[in-house]
Amino acid sequence: MSQVTLAADGGSLTLEAGGMRARFHAIWLRDNAWDAATRAPGNGQRLITLADIPKGTRIDAARIDGGRLSVSFAPEGKAVDYDIGWLMANRYDRTHERAPGWTAPGVEPWDARLMGNVPVGDFAEVSRDADALCGWLALVARYGFGKLVNGPVEDGALMKVVDLFGYVRETNYGRHFEVRTTVNPTNLAYTGLGLQAHTDNPYRDPVPTVQVLYCLESSAAGGENMVVDGFAAALRLKTESPDLFDALTRHCARFEYAGEAGVRLTSRRPMIELAPDGELIAVRFNNRSAAAITDVPFEEMETYYAAYRRLGEIIDDPAMEVTFRLNPGESFLVDNTRVLHARKGYSGSGTRWLQGCYADKDGLLSKLAALSGARKEAAE
Ligand code: FE2
């Protein structure tokens, strides 16, 4: 049974439904009215601004009618019906404080134990089957990366991966970039050295939020790809030492790339980024493009460097890494705001040819939400 109680001043009401209880303010309810004068019936966009809602808006009366809550507002004299399920799904009356470093529902931090269970999709299958695509995108959203196998071995095939969920983000490196390595251990200059795990292009604002790497040739031994969950690394730092975690969240690092004529990219962002309410939203870590750190007070710089060092040690810890080999026609995608990637060194000789490009995570999550919505509707 649903029940509604109005506060004496009409400033809020309390709704009890489905075993839940939540308070809602008059101004919040009025702003979130779904009547045709407030929201466009076709696209759901809001037709009014807050200035169109009187400042002293109060609830005159509220009653439950079937699955709907009917509210009338003063001084407008306007009556609005709400779906109780929608209200409860959007309730904001929480009693618990969220500790800094909380992650969004559905985000699952991982470490080396994920190794036997790398999120993977079959390119041919996800290309023709919306359910398979939805399943693979859901894995990417959950773990921050995903591999695709059984793709075509052809120049530019990585664009077909991006086409599955969105659009390429073009940069000064082009629509895509080539990663070609000739491995010849007799000449150090051509030895494929390993790279420390990093996020790409932290000097961009906004940073590219998705990176795709696609393998076209791989005859050299070694050179495995490696990924590390930046969220798991940040959370481990927080558990080990809250002070060091705080140092990296409270101060901005600086990143820079000026490696070619006409380009001077700079950014000023924390290595561990929290939303104002403490949600862990991004990790930036890249030794090659770290610029001089100038935004940390003198008294805190040594602590900052201790935190930076410790985060690097955690990232380098084999207990954090998941490795996999990419064969021709195979690719992987990372959420570049969360998962760090790297390449292991080579031991033999041969060639390796990968193509890479950037894309956007908002488009990927939009595709996933649209596919999941269609799936739910089909099931109902
Ligand atoms: Fe990279």
Side-chain angles (χ1 to χ4, degrees):
M1 251 327 259
S2 303
Q3 200 179 320
V4 63
T5 321
L6 194 53
D9 65 354
S12 65
L13 57 76
T14 303
L15 183 62
E16 287 170 69
M20 290 175 287
R21 185 172 189 275
R23 291 171 297 174
F24 295 90
H25 288 97
I27 187 64
W28 188 96
L29 287 166
R30 175 63 190 90
D31 191 38
N32 289 290
W34 279 89
D35 62 293
T38 306
R39 294 271 193 172
N43 59 23
Q45 293 209 302
R46 192 181 269 99
L47 301 168
I48 61 168
T49 71
L50 197 52
D52 296 313
I53 301 174
K55 224 175 184 175
T57 288
R58 288 290 177 267
I59 302 165
D60 252 354
R63 66 188 164 80
I64 296 201
D65 199 355
R68 302 188 73 77
L69 172 72
S70 179
V71 179
S72 69
F73 294 98
E76 282 182 283
K78 185 180 176 69
V80 179
D81 276 2
Y82 298 86
D83 180 273
I84 290 175
W86 185 89
L87 284 176
M88 281 311 194
N90 288 279
R91 69 193 187 280
Y92 57 89
D93 189 8
R94 291 183 191 85
T95 46
H96 62 279
E97 271 285 297
R98 292 191 276 205
W102 64 274
T103 52
V107 164
E108 195 174 315
W110 48 265
D111 58 22
R113 287 168 289 183
L114 187 69
M115 193 80 146
N117 217 358
V118 169
V120 61
D122 181 287
F123 179 85
E125 200 186 345
V126 299
S127 299
R128 64 164 186 266
D129 182 72
D131 275 356
L133 177 59
C134 185
W136 182 68
L137 293 176
L139 290 175
V140 172
R142 180 169 214 86
Y143 297 106
F145 80 106
K147 197 178 160 186
L148 273 181
V149 299
N150 198 21
V153 184
E154 62 189 36
D155 187 3
L158 79 172
M159 298 300 166
K160 292 182 176 169
V161 174
V162 177
D163 285 346
L164 293 169
F165 62 85
Y167 305 92
V168 164
R169 165 107 70 102
E170 197 166 346
T171 70
N172 55 299
Y173 303 132
R175 270 179 65 73
H176 81 270
F177 47 88
E178 305 286 342
V179 189
R180 274 182 189 274
T181 322
T182 302
V183 190
N184 175 1
T186 60
N187 181 338
L188 267 184
Y190 294 103
T191 300
L193 294 172
L195 290 171
Q196 189 187 23
H198 59 276
T199 61
D200 258 34
N201 294 200
Y203 41 77
R204 291 185 201 281
D205 182 12
V207 77
T209 46
V210 166
Q211 186 190 32
V212 177
L213 277 172
Y214 200 103
C215 178
L216 293 172
E217 271 178 42
S218 186
S219 62
E224 283 92 1
N225 290 93
M226 183 247 271
V227 284
V228 173
D229 185 0
F231 281 9
L235 294 173
R236 183 171 150 191
L237 179 67
K238 186 187 163 215
T239 306
E240 284 182 9
S241 168
D243 290 350
L244 297 187
F245 175 81
D246 283 353
L248 296 184
T249 62
R250 281 192 300 110
H251 300 294
C252 281
R254 288 185 185 241
F255 300 96
E256 183 176 54
Y257 176 77
E260 61 186 272
V263 176
R264 193 163 199 93
L265 289 157
T266 60
S267 77
R268 195 183 83 88
R269 284 288 186 281
M271 290 196 200
I272 301 174
E273 186 176 2
L274 302 182
D277 63 357
E279 182 190 0
L280 177 54
I281 50 175
V283 168
R284 291 173 185 78
F285 192 85
N286 190 320
N287 66 305
R288 285 166 297 148
S289 54
I293 295 161
T294 53
D295 298 283
V296 179
F298 182 87
E299 293 73 21
E300 295 178 50
M301 190 59 93
E302 287 187 337
T303 304
Y304 188 89
Y305 263 93
Y308 181 13
R309 177 184 296 275
R310 186 61 197 142
L311 179 63
E313 287 167 353
I314 291 172
I315 285 166
D316 290 342
D317 181 352
M320 303 299 288
E321 72 181 42
V322 163
T323 57
F324 52 86
R325 192 175 163 78
L326 281 189
N327 294 311
E330 297 181 349
S331 58
F332 76 103
L333 178 157
V334 288
D335 172 349
N336 191 49
T337 66
R338 170 182 171 189
V339 171
L340 297 81
H341 62 276
R343 187 193 67 204
K344 297 270 194 181
Y346 299 101
S347 47
S349 61
T351 60
R352 189 170 181 259
W353 178 22
L354 270 72
Q355 291 183 322
C357 72
Y358 300 114
D360 292 303
K361 185 179 153 186
D362 58 353
L364 185 151
L365 295 178
S366 159
K367 184 78 180 181
L368 171 60
L371 288 172
S372 312
R375 237 178 170 184
K376 251 183 232 158
E377 272 166 34
E380 277 165 11

